[in-house]
Amino acid sequence: MIVDAGSNPFEVGCACEVFGAPVRPGIGRALYDFRVVAPRRGVRMRDGLFTIQAAGTLTDLEQAQTVIVPNRPHHDDPTRPRVLDAIRRAHRRGTRLVGLCTGAFTLAEAGVLDGRRAAVHWDLAGTFAQRYPGVRVEPDVLFVDDGDVLTSAGSAAALDLALHVVRSDHGAEVANQVSRHLVFAAFRDGGQRQFVPRPVPAHVDRSLAPVLAWAGEALDRPLTVADLAGRAGTSVSSLHRRFRQEVGTTPLAWLTAQRVALACRLLERDDTSIDVVARRAGLGSAANLRSVLKRQVGLSPSDYRKRFSASSGPVG
């Protein structure tokens, strides 16, 4: 991870917490060989509130498989040419690049986002699109995974993208372990809408948390949106509205995502047949599981199991 003048400590902290633990609690091993690098020995962080002394230098990027680029609250400030050159060289080598929050500005400034999709904080989307017209801005999503270049929206979405990276590299079970340790939602789809300013209602409905917890323990049952509405004591239309407000997606999309996550955990644990996994995850048949998993994750159940069931060493 590169830090530079003005980098926001929140995103730096998110990356260090998710990727940098030498022994991940609940897993018993490191997931990544992680280090923080900087273009100079001492870097003033976030409006000069403090200075960070990074352990590494830009030369360490030559061996990296993933590079997290600097974000900067003052996105009008140009990035150091040395940092941009290092990012371009990493991109040419095929290194995976990650921009957290305003890190998208850094990636665009380096020219590696041209012709690609990118997530940007909704409040900066107009500025970003005007400055970098060659980038396809998606201002309404939490993060965008465009293969070897990934970007997230506002600060909290840095955690969503970081957990997505863990999930992609190590599987759903490991990502869930990390999220539980962080006391953070295990999986918010990248396509979920960002929160935008809206009037605070005079009366706030009671939380959907009990309904979500109940449904999470009953995924093997043939649950429907009507069942969720009945459990919440509301109509289906009201449930849709409350889901949009509290969860940011539809009840059916949430239910499907939970079932896919459960199926992934079951596929990782043992060699239980695909039919049994489909039934336990509430997806019915092996054919439906294949269809849904391919659409949501991009892999068939057998390919997913081959990729994630065996433990792997730290990733660079």
Side-chain angles (χ1 to χ4, degrees):
M1 179 177 192
I2 309 172
V3 295
D4 202 0
S7 290
N8 192 342
F10 181 85
E11 286 81 358
V12 173
C14 287
C16 291
E17 182 64 31
V18 174
F19 303 121
V23 178
R24 173 57 60 186
I27 299 172
R29 59 183 173 86
L31 299 179
Y32 298 90
D33 177 9
F34 178 81
R35 66 190 63 184
V36 178
V37 306
R40 60 173 58 182
R41 186 169 181 82
V43 173
R44 287 167 59 84
M45 300 280 287
R46 188 63 194 211
D47 300 319
L49 290 175
F50 61 91
T51 299
I52 186 172
Q53 186 170 317
T57 66
L58 293 179
T59 58
D60 295 320
L61 301 183
E62 301 297 325
Q63 304 301 319
Q65 295 174 312
T66 300
V67 172
I68 303 172
V69 306
N71 68 315
R72 53 193 200 275
H74 304 299
H75 52 82
D76 289 330
D77 295 342
T79 304
R80 298 177 198 271
R82 287 183 57 211
V83 173
L84 294 177
D85 288 342
I87 292 170
R88 293 183 188 113
R89 288 196 303 272
H91 181 60
R92 288 194 292 269
R93 290 194 303 271
T95 302
R96 178 171 60 182
L97 301 176
V98 178
L100 303 178
C101 194
T102 50
F105 282 82
T106 304
L107 290 170
E109 190 179 354
V112 301
L113 276 179
D114 291 344
R116 290 179 174 268
R117 299 178 301 121
V120 182
H121 190 288
W122 60 267
D123 196 35
L124 299 174
T127 300
F128 186 93
Q130 185 175 23
R131 187 178 301 175
Y132 303 109
V135 183
R136 302 199 301 274
V137 180
E138 298 194 7
D140 228 12
V141 301
L142 294 177
F143 61 84
V144 167
D145 182 342
D146 201 39
D148 60 344
V149 182
L150 300 88
T151 50
S152 72
S155 294
L159 275 173
D160 292 296
L161 180 54
L163 287 171
H164 169 75
V165 170
V166 173
R167 183 186 181 91
S168 300
D169 291 344
H170 297 284
E173 183 68 18
V174 170
N176 286 339
Q177 287 278 4
V178 175
S179 68
R180 281 195 291 269
H181 180 71
L182 295 174
V183 196
F184 188 75
F187 179 66
R188 293 198 298 171
D189 193 301
Q192 182 171 318
R193 290 174 60 86
Q194 297 179 37
F195 293 106
V196 296
R198 62 183 55 156
V200 177
H203 172 71
V204 180
D205 293 335
R206 64 185 178 86
S207 172
L208 285 172
V211 177
L212 302 184
W214 170 77
E217 296 296 326
L219 294 175
D220 59 329
R221 305 177 197 170
L223 293 178
T224 65
V225 175
D227 292 329
L228 296 179
R231 185 75 180 188
T234 188
S235 67
V236 170
S237 60
S238 294
L239 184 74
H240 274 272
R241 175 179 56 79
R242 291 177 58 185
F243 254 79
R244 283 295 188 187
Q245 290 177 342
E246 296 187 33
V247 186
T249 188
T250 66
L252 184 58
W254 178 85
L255 196 57
T256 300
Q258 299 305 305
R259 284 175 166 155
V260 168
L262 175 57
C264 288
R265 294 197 298 272
L266 294 173
L267 288 169
E268 293 172 21
R269 287 176 181 172
D270 53 44
D271 58 355
T272 302
S273 73
I274 304 300
D275 285 299
V276 172
V277 170
R279 288 197 302 272
R280 288 181 181 175
L283 291 170
S285 66
N288 189 48
L289 171 59
R290 290 189 187 94
S291 175
V292 173
L293 199 69
K294 187 71 174 177
R295 185 171 65 251
Q296 297 270 355
V297 182
L299 297 170
S300 67
S302 57
D303 288 340
Y304 185 92
R305 175 171 276 160
K306 288 176 184 176
R307 181 171 178 180
F308 295 121
S309 62
S311 60
S312 58
V315 177

